[in-house]
Amino acid sequence: MLPGLLAAASWADPVEEGDTLTLRATVAPGMLVGGVLSTITIRDGLVTEILQEPIAASRPDPTPLELTPAMRQAVNEALADSLPMTLAYVDGEGVPHMSPRGSIHVHGDRELAIWVRDPEGGFLKALETHPAVALWYRNPAKRTNYQFAGRAHVVNDDATTRAVYDATPERERNVDPRARGRAVVVELDRIEGAGPEGRVLMERTA
């Protein structure tokens, strides 16, 4: 990653202090990192140490929220890739909960859906008073992570319920072959993270 970054970077003037020389390289906004800070130690005319540290990327300006093709693929293939997404919610007593959910999938340009196998579970009860949820996708091998935040509600009409069930990964449907669970749709308000398109920050505008 560093050679490619350094080739496209803008370099500040070197800073010399004692035995060290510091070089700061910054890259264009939208990259996964903001640049590289290199510290070179020189003693008796010889380079004795070179340290390279990534500079944190600046936060991108928000853009209108709409799931990109890369996000859609990541979410829909998460379970097949053995990377089930994590769901976070707060119950009626204010206690936070987190759990992996293999049934999460894309439901629209600005919505995710979850098939909840246990209709009597704590998650559905929590939505009665705390609809705000967060969902997290992470793929370390591809340096990709997305944090989704939104408002979840239980689906009450049969057509949408069936659509969510049918779009759920087969492995999850096989555990609930009679579709006794409930469908939940999450209306997304915010997406933040990084992927093939670089850093992203999306917010719902209407």
Side-chain angles (χ1 to χ4, degrees), residues 1 32 81-83 137-145 194-196:
M1 180 179 71
L32 299 182
D81 292 339
S82 299
L83 298 168
Y137 170 87
R138 180 172 183 261
N139 186 329
K142 294 184 178 180
R143 299 178 181 273
T144 297
N145 77 88

Side-chain angles (χ1 to χ4, degrees), residues 46 50 107 133 146:
L46 300 174
I50 299 177
H107 187 65
V133 299
Y146 298 117

Side-chain angles (χ1 to χ4, degrees), residues 3 16-17 20 33 39 46 53 107 148 175 194:
E16 184 175 356
E17 186 176 351
T20 64
V33 297
T39 303
L46 300 174
E53 306 169 76
H107 187 65
F148 304 90
V175 185

Side-chain angles (χ1 to χ4, degrees), residues 85-188:
M85 293 178 61
T86 300
L87 167 71
Y89 65 93
V90 176
D91 66 22
E93 297 181 356
V95 179
H97 298 264
M98 297 176 64
S99 62
R101 300 278 174 158
S103 66
I104 298 171
H105 59 275
V106 173
H107 187 65
D109 290 340
R110 299 190 292 180
E111 294 177 331
L112 300 181
I114 310 169
W115 183 258
V116 183
R117 296 196 305 266
D118 182 5
E120 302 300 324
F123 175 46
L124 297 187
K125 294 178 181 177
L127 295 183
E128 297 173 3
T129 53
H130 291 85
V133 299
L135 307 99
W136 186 42
Y137 170 87
R138 180 172 183 261
N139 186 329
K142 294 184 178 180
R143 299 178 181 273
T144 297
N145 77 88
Y146 298 117
Q147 299 176 53
F148 304 90
R151 294 154 289 117
H153 66 270
V154 179
V155 175
N156 291 316
D157 70 274
D158 293 340
T160 304
T161 296
R162 189 69 208 185
V164 170
Y165 178 80
D166 289 343
T168 295
E170 183 179 5
R171 284 167 54 186
E172 288 288 315
R173 296 199 310 271
N174 288 343
V175 185
D176 187 14
R178 296 190 178 183
R180 298 182 186 276
R182 297 294 301 275
V184 170
V185 169
V186 181
E187 298 179 36
L188 298 174

Side-chain angles (χ1 to χ4, degrees), residues 63-65 110 189 203-206:
T63 59
L65 190 151
R110 299 190 292 180
D189 294 316
E203 295 179 347
R204 181 183 287 265
T205 55

Side-chain angles (χ1 to χ4, degrees), residues 16-39:
E16 184 175 356
E17 186 176 351
D19 295 334
T20 64
L21 186 68
T22 302
L23 305 172
R24 185 181 185 91
T26 56
V27 298
M31 301 292 288
L32 299 182
V33 297
V36 178
L37 186 67
S38 301
T39 303

